[in-house]
Amino acid sequence: MPRIGLFPLACVALGAFGQPNTAEYFENKVRPVLAEKCYSCHAEMNTAGLRVDSREALLKGGNRGAALVPGDAEKSLLVQVLRHAHDSVRMPPQGKLPLEQVEAIAAWVRAGAYWPPKEAAALRKSAEPEPTPEQKNHWAFRPLHPPPGASIDGLVRARLRKEGLTPNPPASRAVLIRRLSYDLTGLPPSPDEVAQYAADPRPDATARFVDRLLASPHFGERWGRHWLDVARYGEDDYTGTQPKPYPNAWRYRDWVVNAFNRDLPYDRFVKAQIAGDLLPEGQRDFGGLGLFGLGPWYYGIAQPVQARADERHDRVDMVTRGFLGLTVACARCHDHKYDPVSMQDYYGLAGVFASTKYQEYPLAPAEQVAAHEAAQQRMRRAEKALDEFRNRQSEQLAEILARQAARYLLAAAATAAENPAEEAARRGLDPEVLERWIAFAKKQDQPLLTPWQQAAAPDRERLAAEFQDELLRILEDKKNLDEENRILVAKARPPRTAGRRRTILPGNYDSEDDFNPGADVPTRSLERDRFVLWRALFAPKDGVLRFDGEKIERFLHGEWRAHLAHLKRELEEARKSAPPAYPFVMGVAEHEQPIDLNLNVRGNPQDLGEIVPRRFLAVLGKADLRRGSGRLQLAEAIVAQPLAARVMANRIWLHLFGAGLVRTPSNFGFTGDRPAQPELLEYVAARLVAARWSIKQLIREIVLSATYQASSAHHAANARRDPDNRLWWRANRRRLDAEALRDSLLAAAGRLDGTVGGPSAELDDKLARRSIYARVGRFRQEPTLALFDFPSASITNEQRVVTNVPLQRLFFLNSEFVMAQADALAGRLAGAGPDPEARVREAYRLLFGRTPDGTELRLGKAYAAEAGPGAWSQYAQVLFSSNEFAYLD
């Protein structure tokens, strides 16, 4: 009889959407139900080993066997669990589906469980566009083709002659040493270095100086910071409204710095960051895995399915823009509008990161790690026991006090402005509780209290008793509702099965369990006015009748106080005996269950299309990426591309000249800039590869070229023909970046701490270390560095913007940090003696590495004579504010 009764529902479905063995029926009646109710657990997550996003997956089934028996709905596990007719499994966890949805799926199964083939699913996604021969022949995708017998200067000078331009003469040694020092180390040359270089008559003096800079540990600090911009390096993530700090994040920063100092070949540099854990034995390198291990991770700022999709999006964007100079992330919602990149390309790469999990790699012996973890468990158990005991006593006390509400209300009315302690003693009440009731009784935002507040004195005792009765009913109703809701939420949780695909983030945060559990489950609540009253009186931490934490302890006596003392001793002993936290590297590893992702229709992770195999970009060869997660294959595919060499060579050129050969460093696609001198780009990229990917060797060759060492002087005729200096007839004048400016202030003051590496610290006026060692917030930038264009760490950054705004000038005028460095510099000038001219000369030697001219001497002496007390500190501040201090020629 029940089945006959459902027949009209199935007829309605058939009449509205055709036969259940058609694509129309499937797309309208079956796939939407599976997508909305089942995919969150049984698609990417593969809970219980079951996926329901393809016919093949349903036929294969999961831990309980096949989920689908085409033609027999009664024997199909899928239908049984949806009907809640199975012995032990009922789905979905949130509650039974409407009957019409269940029977529509049953009708589909009885008709053979038709699933549209991929080529017929036009509503889900059109066929993947195949890159055309013209697209594959894009200049950035071709093999490297450097001109034979070429050199940097040969290529630049030949092009200048062709365009009728004259190259600038060489820069002076004073200018060049400052340029080299900042470009290679981010620090000004010391006065001794300037003097030695100026006095060195050997023809290879510049080459010797360059070699010293390349060997300096400060080289890695400078060039590591360049890469950290691209790597969107940050030391925290947000868990909702508060940042979650990563105390070990600095280890990735130090790994990058060390990689540049030891001249780690760039191909190894790429592989170590994407798949350092998968390299051959003896080459494994876990430090670089912080590229992904540091996040960003999205804890409580989105539903887990959306959060995981956003995290994968970040990884795809970082890898493709950072290493390949392609904006593949644009294909998340649709095929790329300009480049030959499809949605299948995007999800083929995203699957690699869906098959990758967060992993911590201890830098301590296994026994130390085990001892620390055991101690942490003891401490967590002790904390939990203490908190639960206090919480139970607090709840019980609140209920006890609720049963005395009428007495306290009457006492509050009688006390008015008199001494509450005396009234409490007279009536046998607790003084602190009475004070709270007095404050509460004055509030006008509690409708259930209003009758008592407005009543005449004779009626107040009766109304207080009625209020107390209602309060106790509210308390009882709230307990019952909480228990009902707890059961609903528990039923809605995904079952904890061996096949469940969990996502664990830093801090052992279980994304599916810990993210706002039950937030999407419909639950019941008290009527508004009753809930407002309950919250005011019983809510943890600020309820009138709640005494939480240590506040509850004064109410405990006898065995309860002795038990509390015992729990506190246990916790204190656990804390004292706990060994210090062991160091570890934040990285990634292979997921136990690698998967291919479904294409997300219009980028919506809840609306799934066909499964996309993990693979590389079609236009670059479509290499298979399904060995494990595919990360190592991905890294190998990247470094095999001539595009990777072009992108990195262009980044190196950018940091040495202030502009790249390609002016869009992370976009070598069809809408990106084309190099004005393609032969020059081919040459430097080929030189990087020929030098076995040595970044130091390529930098050395570039900075020893006449092109790099040219003057930045203006040339009117050249400027008319090539105003943007695309053909490199001069050096570009550049402002120092935020870190170099701050570090230079400390260096000039003689206060710079040159210690290399180690934990980060907050950037404040007391920090004397280089700015690279300041803590970097993922989404909250340090104000001083941000003022001078330090980039956000939330996304990969290809090139620093350079602004020139009044606040920067005001910083030099008003900053206490600048004033402190000016005072310190004035102290150094005093070491030159009392003669004002000697002090001015010393200032120019320390700050600019040169001798002041006659005008500068005269102005300096006159300023010091007229400024009065603190004159030399103010003079130092004036020089700090000069363009010569902040700019490189």
Side-chain angles (χ1 to χ4, degrees), residues 744-752 820-826 828 847 880:
S744 295
L745 288 167
L746 288 168
R751 298 183 58 240
L752 182 65
Q821 310 323 309
D823 289 342
L825 176 57
R828 297 185 74 185
L847 289 179
F880 283 155

Side-chain angles (χ1 to χ4, degrees), residues 175-188:
V175 168
L176 184 58
I177 188 175
R178 195 164 182 267
R179 185 189 301 171
L180 284 167
S181 187
Y182 273 111
D183 280 348
L184 270 57
T185 70
L187 294 172

Side-chain angles (χ1 to χ4, degrees), residues 444-594:
Q444 303 299 316
D445 59 352
Q446 297 293 332
L448 296 180
L449 186 63
T450 302
W452 178 84
Q453 291 172 321
Q454 297 177 350
D459 297 325
R460 281 193 166 179
E461 184 171 351
R462 173 180 59 82
L463 290 172
E466 292 178 0
F467 176 82
Q468 177 177 302
D469 290 342
E470 176 62 9
L471 188 60
L472 294 175
R473 284 192 293 270
I474 289 173
L475 192 59
E476 184 65 24
D477 290 347
K478 182 67 165 61
K479 284 183 180 179
N480 293 335
L481 284 174
D482 286 347
E483 179 60 18
E484 291 177 17
N485 291 335
R486 184 193 67 78
I487 294 172
L488 287 173
V489 171
K491 286 183 177 180
R493 285 181 180 271
R496 285 184 171 273
T497 63
R500 180 185 170 205
R501 199 169 188 277
R502 302 174 70 196
T503 302
I504 306 299
L505 306 186
N508 207 35
Y509 180 95
D510 188 324
S511 184
E512 283 69 38
D513 276 355
D514 295 338
F515 173 78
N516 206 8
D520 56 348
V521 179
T523 55
R524 296 178 59 200
S525 179
L526 292 168
E527 180 268 334
R528 181 187 179 280
D529 288 348
R530 301 179 86 219
F531 176 76
V532 169
L533 180 60
W534 176 89
R535 184 175 59 186
L537 293 176
F538 300 107
K541 295 185 180 180
D542 55 2
V544 170
L545 305 183
R546 286 289 299 220
F547 287 82
D548 292 300
E550 294 182 354
K551 293 180 180 178
I552 189 65
E553 296 183 7
R554 72 179 179 85
F555 294 93
L556 303 180
H557 303 282
E559 290 297 325
W560 283 263
R561 178 168 286 278
H563 182 60
L564 173 67
H566 173 70
L567 292 176
K568 293 172 75 173
R569 281 196 304 272
E570 275 191 346
L571 177 57
E572 185 62 25
E573 290 170 3
R575 286 174 174 167
K576 286 182 178 179
S577 63
Y582 59 87
F584 59 85
V585 169
M586 298 174 68
V588 293
E590 299 289 83
H591 202 291
E592 296 82 1
Q593 303 173 38

Side-chain angles (χ1 to χ4, degrees), residues 348-503:
L349 291 177
V352 172
F353 299 105
S355 302
T356 301
K357 67 176 183 178
Y358 173 75
Q359 180 75 37
E360 293 174 359
Y361 294 93
L363 301 175
E367 55 272 18
Q368 181 180 342
V369 174
H372 178 268
E373 294 300 332
Q376 291 300 306
Q377 288 184 13
R378 287 195 301 273
M379 194 158 57
R380 285 191 291 268
R381 285 196 299 267
E383 287 175 342
K384 182 180 179 182
L386 178 60
D387 290 343
E388 287 180 347
F389 177 74
R390 283 172 167 167
N391 190 54
R392 284 195 302 270
Q393 306 315 310
S394 179
E395 289 178 351
Q396 190 172 43
L397 176 64
E399 187 171 343
I400 291 171
L401 294 174
R403 295 181 181 278
Q404 303 176 42
R407 293 177 61 201
Y408 276 99
L409 275 177
L410 294 174
T415 303
E418 302 297 326
N419 190 331
E422 293 181 3
E423 185 69 20
R426 189 175 70 81
R427 294 175 179 255
L429 301 175
D430 184 87
E432 184 179 356
V433 176
L434 179 57
E435 285 185 10
R436 293 185 179 192
W437 273 108
I438 292 171
F440 178 74
K442 295 177 181 177
K443 293 185 176 181
Q444 303 299 316
D445 59 352
Q446 297 293 332
L448 296 180
L449 186 63
T450 302
W452 178 84
Q453 291 172 321
Q454 297 177 350
D459 297 325
R460 281 193 166 179
E461 184 171 351
R462 173 180 59 82
L463 290 172
E466 292 178 0
F467 176 82
Q468 177 177 302
D469 290 342
E470 176 62 9
L471 188 60
L472 294 175
R473 284 192 293 270
I474 289 173
L475 192 59
E476 184 65 24
D477 290 347
K478 182 67 165 61
K479 284 183 180 179
N480 293 335
L481 284 174
D482 286 347
E483 179 60 18
E484 291 177 17
N485 291 335
R486 184 193 67 78
I487 294 172
L488 287 173
V489 171
K491 286 183 177 180
R493 285 181 180 271
R496 285 184 171 273
T497 63
R500 180 185 170 205
R501 199 169 188 277
R502 302 174 70 196
T503 302

